[in-house]
Amino acid sequence: MGQSFPHVLGFFLLNTLLRGLAQGPTAHVTLKYNWSHIFWGETVTFRCEIKGSRDIDWTYDWITPISGPPTTQNEYSISRVTEYHNGEYRCLGTKKHPQRLTDTQWSDPYRLTVTPYGPSVELSAASRIIQPGGVVTLTCNVIPPSSGWEFFWYRGERTAELKITQDARLTVSQGGLYWCRGARGDPRYFTQYSSQFTINRILTNRAVVTRQPHWSEIYSGERITLRCEIQDGEVTEWMYEWETTGSNTFPTHSEDAASFSGVVSSGGEYKCKGRHKTDPYSSTEWSSPITLTVSAHKPKAELRADNRDIPAGGSVSLTCSVNPSTGWKYRYWYKEDKLAQSKALEDSGATSAGQIHVSEEGVYLCRGERGDPAYYTEDSEMIIINKKNEEKAVVTLHPNWSEIYSGETITFRCEIEDVDDNEWKYEWETTSSRSSKKQEEFSIRFANTSHSGDYKCRGRKQSDKSSTLWSTPITLTVLFNKPKPLLTVSPSWLSPGDLVTLNCEVKHPSAGWRFFWYKVVPKLPGDSYSCVLLSESSNGTEQYSFIVEGQTHTAGYVCRAGRGEPVFYTDYSEPKFVWSADLQSSASLRVSPNRVQHFTSDSVSLSCERNSTQWRVMRFLKGGTVAECSARWIKAESSCTIPGKRWSNDPFWCESESGEFSNAVNVTKKNFDIILQSPVHPVTEGSSVSLSCKLRNNVTVPPVFFYHNDKLIQNDSRMELNISAVSKSDEGFYRCQCSGEESEQSWMTVRDVQAVSRSWSSFPIILLIVGLICGVIILLLLLYCNKQFKDSRFCRVDQSVSTNQDFSTSHVVDQSDAQHEQYSTLLHGDASVYHSIKGPADYENVHSGSTNQGCSTSRVVVHSDAQNDQYSTLLHGDASVYETIKGSGN
């Protein structure tokens, strides 16, 4: 500026005051290039224009944000603006007249804003590809957008301008690298260069990928060759570019090679294109991709034979294949048997036919090969080719049971019909294995479920190695669980003269089973039983039914079945009972209150009455199980009390430590409002009996109805039904009805008075006779043993009885007739009973993994092997064992 700022300011204020009095010419500040953006580094020129005067003889003053060289010209220029030049610019025009000094007012301010950075340039195009015969339009954009620009275009190198345009667009038809930049002002202000932009021109030629060999299926490890073929057009000098999605180490950039080879490990897509060797920005389009599918696993050859048996004087055809692929050649291998060394067939070579004819017996296999170098498949499975023999093999089963159980013994036999030649080797084949052995029998001693399957055999002559055909297979099924028979007894309740029928049912009862029948004997303390084999079934019975005659007292039975050699036994059945309601000489079960039906509020006591040291009360539950008096009930020695609020509808009886059973009774205890009071035990013919109807609340509203076998026999106000002298016709079901309530029915048994008198009159005599006989026999045997200890069988039997706490003489006396006969047999030397309890099969069962150590899996047990050995030894004459048993015990 020409003056200092205070001087100018004072002059400005004075001039404003004077000009306020009269209007004259005015000054205005403008830019030479009025652009929307002024960038850092550009040249800026301000002009001061005087309006309202035609006179051009003016001098000028400027006010600027920063001081600079003074000027009186109408233009004020800044060569390289920066942000420090931001601010307001004003100008003033002055003219000297002869009479007075004339000047303008100061102009309105012009505010300059400088963008603090230079502009950038972006080069773009709708496509980077120039199609054959086409063009691409490039666009050069200055950022931020501003005006006044002209555009400089470059191709290849930036040293020479391709073209200068006022338009931001340029149309090109050649491929290459392109740049652009903008310029404006005087002197020119240039933007930076744009980034390079690649344009490729597509030629009319076409690229195609081919592969060799051209197999439909490729396997990991094979070698493959891919080739890029350029078709059509006139260009002959090419560079090549490959691209793949696979993981193989193939080139993915420009290569001066039209093909490449490599071992593939995985599949993928492959494509290529050709690029003009002298114009790298001119190329073909990418070829259509070729897809390689590579299997991860090496293929396995498959060998088939049209016949496994060579006919006399003929041959069989072998066919080797590798599916589903092609291009294979095949080699065949031969060996005399599975263990021999393989050797290539001399006349097979590597044939593409895949089929040969052979006339030699032996083991054959093959494999495939293809490519160069050769790629090999896995060997095929072996095929055994045999010379046909007219003899026929047949498998037989001994014993002939196709369904057996774990632990049984079975033998297969390979039989060749109408052959006298003994020089045979045998081959056995099952669903799981094949074995060669000379023996014609194939035995399984302890079968298990893994032995289930088909079994077949064939014979092979040692002289000419010819073999029979495979026999028709025989199927063996081995069941895991040992069978457990189901025992049923009929009738469940005894009447005088009844025969007891036992039925022992085993799955497939016709498959060689024999049946063994046992009585159960209580073992106290505890709640188990021991078993005593019935002498009539010491060797087993062929029939699954067994009839017990003369059974009058309560008794329990079990059964089991056995078959084969050595004998295989089933598990023991669950125990089943046949009950007698008669009061017995050995023991009696008493019920208090003495009636069948009870209210749930009643406390019912059951007691065993007999001069025995220990008794237990037993009951038969629904579902066929037997249980001792429940621990939740009130249990005492030889008695049991069913407390209130407990329900019951089961048969009860007593058992003693000496093996005795009492009579059985039914006890019904339910939540009724009315019950029939009837006798628990049978009543004797000719005696009087009274039945009554009882209500829980003791409030009776007549009439009261009594029924016998559903026939109304009394209808009045009496609460009792009295029979002065009962007869057999009074036996049956009774019930009562009163006050709209009806009781359950209960059975009343009437005994024949003659049968009762016979039973009780004979008992003391039998007891006396048996006691005397047993005492004399024991005394004589003991005396005799002192003289001839080694040779006396009766001595040993007597000694066994005297040392066997389960079968004492007092025990025998107290049994029913059938039991007496049973134990009498033991005392008089019937060794078969104890021997059969143990038997040879018990030893086998123990060693074959059997867990059944007793008659029943729950409560019934047999004597241990050691005990049975001792009993058997006593019965068969080993005196040394007797001394061992006697020991400290006696």
Side-chain angles (χ1 to χ4, degrees), residues 308-442:
R308 297 293 182 96
D309 298 295
I310 302 173
S315 64
V316 297
S317 297
L318 301 180
T319 303
C320 191
S321 61
V322 182
N323 292 320
S325 50
T326 57
W328 299 98
K329 293 182 178 180
Y330 303 95
R331 292 186 182 271
Y332 293 85
W333 308 84
Y334 165 81
K335 51 186 177 179
E336 291 184 355
D337 55 55
K338 282 187 175 182
L339 302 178
Q341 186 73 25
S342 298
K343 59 182 179 180
L345 293 180
E346 297 178 358
D347 58 346
S348 70
T351 173
S352 59
Q355 188 177 79
I356 61 171
H357 299 278
V358 297
S359 57
E360 291 293 326
E361 184 180 60
V363 179
Y364 291 85
L365 63 156
C366 73
R367 73 178 181 188
E369 62 180 67
R370 70 179 182 184
D372 187 15
Y375 175 82
Y376 298 101
T377 68
E378 298 281 358
D379 290 344
S380 68
E381 296 290 341
M382 293 181 291
I383 287 184
I384 300 176
I385 301 299
N386 303 288
K387 283 188 177 181
K388 186 175 180 180
N389 196 302
E390 298 299 329
E391 289 83 1
K392 183 178 180 181
V394 176
V395 176
T396 57
L397 201 56
H398 305 275
N400 190 21
W401 304 324
S402 60
E403 186 174 86
I404 63 174
Y405 297 90
S406 293
E408 286 199 82
T409 297
I410 199 77
T411 298
F412 298 89
R413 183 174 298 155
C414 190
E415 299 177 353
I416 302 174
E417 301 175 354
D418 303 326
V419 172
D420 296 330
D421 190 355
N422 293 324
E423 295 183 5
W424 288 92
K425 290 174 62 178
Y426 296 89
E427 291 184 42
W428 292 89
E429 186 176 275
T430 72
T431 51
S432 59
S433 63
R434 176 183 292 180
S435 62
S436 296
K437 53 173 62 180
K438 292 182 179 181
Q439 292 79 9
E440 63 176 333
E441 290 188 350
F442 177 33

Side-chain angles (χ1 to χ4, degrees), residues 700-771:
T700 305
V701 179
V704 180
F705 303 90
F706 285 92
Y707 296 87
H708 176 221
N709 293 333
D710 292 330
K711 180 181 178 181
L712 182 62
I713 59 174
Q714 182 173 299
N715 177 10
D716 53 32
S717 61
R718 290 175 296 171
M719 295 295 293
E720 294 182 351
L721 172 65
N722 296 309
I723 305 173
S724 59
V726 295
S727 63
K728 197 63 176 176
S729 62
D730 293 318
E731 189 174 65
F733 286 104
Y734 288 85
R735 60 186 171 88
C736 70
Q737 183 178 343
C738 179
S739 302
E741 302 289 342
E742 184 175 359
S743 72
E744 278 201 339
Q745 63 180 6
S746 292
W747 178 270
M748 185 179 73
T749 302
V750 179
R751 294 183 299 179
D752 183 356
V753 65
Q754 295 181 357
V756 174
S757 62
R758 287 196 302 269
S759 173
W760 283 97
S761 63
S762 61
F763 173 73
I765 299 175
I766 294 173
L767 180 63
L768 178 61
I769 294 173
V770 172

Side-chain angles (χ1 to χ4, degrees), residues 710-880:
D710 292 330
K711 180 181 178 181
L712 182 62
I713 59 174
Q714 182 173 299
N715 177 10
D716 53 32
S717 61
R718 290 175 296 171
M719 295 295 293
E720 294 182 351
L721 172 65
N722 296 309
I723 305 173
S724 59
V726 295
S727 63
K728 197 63 176 176
S729 62
D730 293 318
E731 189 174 65
F733 286 104
Y734 288 85
R735 60 186 171 88
C736 70
Q737 183 178 343
C738 179
S739 302
E741 302 289 342
E742 184 175 359
S743 72
E744 278 201 339
Q745 63 180 6
S746 292
W747 178 270
M748 185 179 73
T749 302
V750 179
R751 294 183 299 179
D752 183 356
V753 65
Q754 295 181 357
V756 174
S757 62
R758 287 196 302 269
S759 173
W760 283 97
S761 63
S762 61
F763 173 73
I765 299 175
I766 294 173
L767 180 63
L768 178 61
I769 294 173
V770 172
L772 290 174
I773 292 174
C774 291
V776 173
I777 291 175
I778 292 172
L779 178 61
L780 293 175
L781 289 176
L782 288 175
L783 293 174
Y784 187 70
C785 286
N786 290 329
K787 298 180 179 179
Q788 298 182 6
F789 182 81
K790 295 184 180 180
D791 297 326
S792 175
R793 176 183 177 187
F794 288 101
C795 176
R796 286 189 292 273
V797 173
D798 187 50
Q799 290 160 354
S800 70
V801 173
S802 65
T803 58
N804 180 8
Q805 299 300 316
D806 285 339
F807 302 101
S808 65
T809 56
S810 61
H811 174 97
V812 175
V813 171
D814 289 336
Q815 305 307 309
S816 66
D817 293 340
Q819 291 172 319
H820 180 77
E821 181 181 357
Q822 172 78 39
Y823 299 125
S824 178
T825 302
L826 290 174
L827 293 173
H828 290 82
D830 189 348
S832 64
V833 176
Y834 273 112
H835 181 72
S836 299
I837 290 177
K838 180 175 184 296
D842 281 332
Y843 177 83
E844 295 296 339
N845 288 346
V846 170
H847 288 271
S848 63
S850 172
T851 60
N852 177 26
Q853 298 298 322
C855 301
S856 170
T857 56
S858 58
R859 302 183 59 253
V860 182
V861 297
V862 293
H863 299 294
S864 66
D865 285 344
Q867 289 174 317
N868 287 332
D869 284 338
Q870 291 173 348
Y871 295 148
S872 180
T873 303
L874 289 173
L875 294 171
H876 289 82
D878 188 346
S880 63

Side-chain angles (χ1 to χ4, degrees), residues 652-705:
F652 289 82
W653 68 96
C654 297
E655 297 174 353
S656 76
E657 64 177 351
S658 57
E660 297 167 296
F661 292 91
S662 74
N663 61 301
V665 296
N666 263 326
V667 176
T668 300
K669 190 170 183 285
K670 292 185 178 179
N671 190 22
F672 295 138
D673 291 325
I674 186 172
I675 62 173
L676 175 70
Q677 297 187 107
S678 60
V680 172
H681 305 294
V683 295
T684 305
E685 191 175 16
S687 62
S688 64
V689 65
S690 177
L691 291 83
S692 62
C693 197
K694 183 176 182 180
L695 288 145
R696 185 189 297 272
N697 57 12
N698 291 321
V699 178
T700 305
V701 179
V704 180
F705 303 90

